[in-house]
Amino acid sequence: MPTGGNRIRRNNPPPSTTGGCSNNTTKTYPTRQTSCPSADEFHQSTIDDSSYNTSYPSPISMIRPVRHIPLPRQLPITDRSVFELSLFAYSLLALLLQYINIYSTVWWLPHGPSHSILHFHLIDWSLVLFITILLSWRLFIVVLIWKFPIISLDIHWLSTFCKISIIFILSTLFLWSLVSLCYRYSVLNLLFLFYPAVIYLLVFGITIKPILAEFLSPLSWDSRQRSCCYMTATGIRSEVNFFLLDFYSRIKKIVFNSLLTAYYIGFIPICFVDPSLSQTTTIRDSFHLILIVWINSLVLLADHQLSRRYLDVLHRYAMHLGRWTRVPVSMATTNDDLTAVPVWSDVVVWNAGSLCRFNPISYNRPGTPVVYRASGAAQTCAVPANQRHVTYYQLFKQPRRILITMTTIQCIITMTLLVALYRCSYWNHVISLTALLLVNYYILYRLIRDCFFFEKFYVF
């Protein structure tokens, strides 16, 4: 037995095939809770090599529980219909501000070319109607799906009649505005209108599932919060893979919907501007508005899609998933020391600090076993050297990082608007920047409030 080098000893409790959890909720599970030791009892228990045999007590009694604190019910949650109505109102406000910047006049001059604040005769109202209907598609789906089904069955025919009437009226107005635009503008202008449809096909494919998925099949986060503590290691990894794909899908839809909103609010009115205003329109200020609208829409959609309860569920699974870190093995370590380390098993829940051999052959140095140490908070169900599991654990171990990122972006936008408001000298710019600042103040208030809440709630 050599005296130098890193000697690997197994002084950790044997792994378990099921996870433990300490959850302060009203629903209790006596059989699981009574068998799980406290954190202090776990730290005091050590097992040496001589006692590693089949005479151990139940495996669940040796696993360290993960302590979860339920989110308070007083946490404000924005209803989907309220959010969609707020997003639609913000879109209409931004569209109004864009038209004010494009068609503003010097109406205060006594002998000026116009005595109205805007060139109303140059605005294409069919284009305004077309953009408004496109911006209301999310609110339209919510109204049809979430509002009318609550009507009693005795007047079910009225619900069906209202749905058909709304669909008929909006379809008629949309087709009328589209036909009017086709008669008045060139093919190049019309291609700008449907360019986002090409991007949608390239990103999502020929399917409407990404559009209707979040409205037709909402997930029950409460049931997933309760079930994560009583799943096997295989079930934890399966749910983690599902949530990681769901998170990436939400990010992709957030970016696309925010770009779609900024495109139709900021870019389309510039493309269809009257040629007589080409010398007076400040294109640079219009593109600044596009950037601000895109970032605000991005933060609004992210704040709703990545809700606090959704992040809490992802955080709970991250605590059960854990992670592995590779342990450097010295050349002086003998084979007897390495064979004493148990081989990783996909049905086992490992305690924090446990050692395992995952791959018997190292790719860099053939013949050298690869040893990993469980470095999770309490338990580890992840697969060693699995980059997806490492990414999931790093993202959602501290969900406050996502809120801090959004708050930082919002602070930068708010400070930029303040500086621009201080330096502007045109009346239309003052109105636009003031209205955008009011909206940004509200968004920033919500984000800062949630950041302080998460800082006090999650203590690592």
Side-chain angles (χ1 to χ4, degrees), residues 99 102-106 113-114 116-125 277 280:
Y99 273 94
I102 295 177
Y103 296 97
S104 60
T105 63
V106 285
S114 177
S116 59
I117 59 175
L118 297 178
H119 294 288
F120 291 102
H121 62 285
L122 298 178
I123 299 178
D124 190 348
W125 297 105
L277 295 176
T280 59

Side-chain angles (χ1 to χ4, degrees), residues 413-428:
I413 292 298
T414 304
M415 294 301 298
T416 304
L417 289 176
L418 285 173
V419 174
L421 180 61
Y422 175 76
R423 300 180 59 181
C424 71
S425 57
Y426 296 98
W427 70 269
N428 55 314

Side-chain angles (χ1 to χ4, degrees), residues 323-446:
R323 63 170 298 180
W324 294 92
T325 56
R326 184 170 177 175
V327 178
V329 180
S330 174
M331 291 293 295
T333 305
T334 62
N335 292 331
D336 294 337
D337 296 331
L338 295 176
T339 54
V341 179
V343 180
W344 180 84
S345 176
D346 59 347
V347 297
V348 171
V349 177
W350 303 79
N351 281 316
S354 302
L355 298 177
C356 77
R357 287 181 293 127
F358 174 66
N359 189 2
I361 303 298
S362 175
Y363 294 101
N364 298 328
R365 189 172 55 192
T368 302
V370 180
V371 180
Y372 292 89
R373 183 185 301 276
S375 57
Q379 304 173 5
T380 299
C381 302
V383 179
N386 190 315
Q387 191 60 37
R388 293 169 60 90
H389 290 173
V390 174
T391 302
Y392 184 91
Y393 184 79
Q394 292 295 332
L395 279 175
F396 305 113
K397 177 185 177 182
Q398 296 185 3
R400 189 166 57 98
R401 296 174 180 174
I402 299 177
L403 291 177
I404 291 177
T405 302
M406 293 191 295
T407 306
T408 303
I409 295 175
Q410 197 64 32
C411 287
I412 294 175
I413 292 298
T414 304
M415 294 301 298
T416 304
L417 289 176
L418 285 173
V419 174
L421 180 61
Y422 175 76
R423 300 180 59 181
C424 71
S425 57
Y426 296 98
W427 70 269
N428 55 314
H429 295 168
V430 173
I431 294 178
S432 301
L433 294 175
T434 304
L436 291 175
L437 271 174
L438 294 177
V439 176
N440 278 268
Y441 287 152
Y442 173 72
I443 300 174
L444 189 60
Y445 159 73
R446 286 177 52 89

Side-chain angles (χ1 to χ4, degrees), residues 175-422:
L175 291 177
W176 175 81
S177 61
L178 181 60
V179 171
S180 177
L181 293 174
C182 291
Y183 276 107
R184 299 178 59 182
Y185 295 98
S186 62
V187 178
L188 180 62
N189 292 103
L190 298 177
L191 289 178
F192 284 122
L193 292 177
F194 299 99
Y195 179 72
V198 179
I199 303 300
Y200 176 87
L201 294 177
L202 294 177
V203 175
F204 299 102
I206 309 177
T207 178
I208 60 173
K209 184 178 179 180
I211 297 179
L212 303 178
E214 58 180 302
F215 301 102
L216 298 180
S217 58
L219 297 176
S220 178
W221 306 119
D222 294 335
S223 61
R224 291 181 179 268
Q225 283 180 347
R226 293 191 294 266
S227 63
C228 69
C229 303
Y230 304 98
M231 297 179 64
T232 61
T234 305
I236 291 292
R237 288 192 296 270
S238 177
E239 289 293 306
V240 164
N241 292 332
F242 166 78
F243 278 121
L244 193 59
L245 293 177
D246 180 73
F247 177 76
Y248 289 154
S249 176
R250 286 172 180 256
I251 294 297
K252 186 164 58 174
K253 288 186 288 187
I254 287 171
V255 174
F256 177 79
N257 289 328
S258 60
L259 288 174
L260 183 70
T261 302
Y263 180 83
Y264 280 106
I265 290 177
F267 185 73
I268 290 299
I270 297 177
C271 294
F272 288 81
V273 69
D274 192 273
S276 61
L277 295 176
S278 58
Q279 300 297 328
T280 59
T281 303
T282 55
I283 303 299
R284 184 186 62 182
D285 297 330
S286 299
F287 276 102
H288 287 172
L289 181 65
I290 295 175
L291 179 62
I292 295 173
V293 170
W294 173 61
I295 295 179
N296 284 342
S297 302
L298 184 71
V299 174
L300 281 172
L301 289 169
D303 184 61
H304 178 71
Q305 292 290 335
L306 307 179
S307 64
R308 308 303 168 257
R309 298 194 180 277
Y310 176 76
L311 293 178
D312 182 64
V313 173
L314 269 59
H315 165 72
R316 293 182 178 223
Y317 278 94
M319 291 296 98
H320 284 274
L321 179 68
R323 63 170 298 180
W324 294 92
T325 56
R326 184 170 177 175
V327 178
V329 180
S330 174
M331 291 293 295
T333 305
T334 62
N335 292 331
D336 294 337
D337 296 331
L338 295 176
T339 54
V341 179
V343 180
W344 180 84
S345 176
D346 59 347
V347 297
V348 171
V349 177
W350 303 79
N351 281 316
S354 302
L355 298 177
C356 77
R357 287 181 293 127
F358 174 66
N359 189 2
I361 303 298
S362 175
Y363 294 101
N364 298 328
R365 189 172 55 192
T368 302
V370 180
V371 180
Y372 292 89
R373 183 185 301 276
S375 57
Q379 304 173 5
T380 299
C381 302
V383 179
N386 190 315
Q387 191 60 37
R388 293 169 60 90
H389 290 173
V390 174
T391 302
Y392 184 91
Y393 184 79
Q394 292 295 332
L395 279 175
F396 305 113
K397 177 185 177 182
Q398 296 185 3
R400 189 166 57 98
R401 296 174 180 174
I402 299 177
L403 291 177
I404 291 177
T405 302
M406 293 191 295
T407 306
T408 303
I409 295 175
Q410 197 64 32
C411 287
I412 294 175
I413 292 298
T414 304
M415 294 301 298
T416 304
L417 289 176
L418 285 173
V419 174
L421 180 61
Y422 175 76

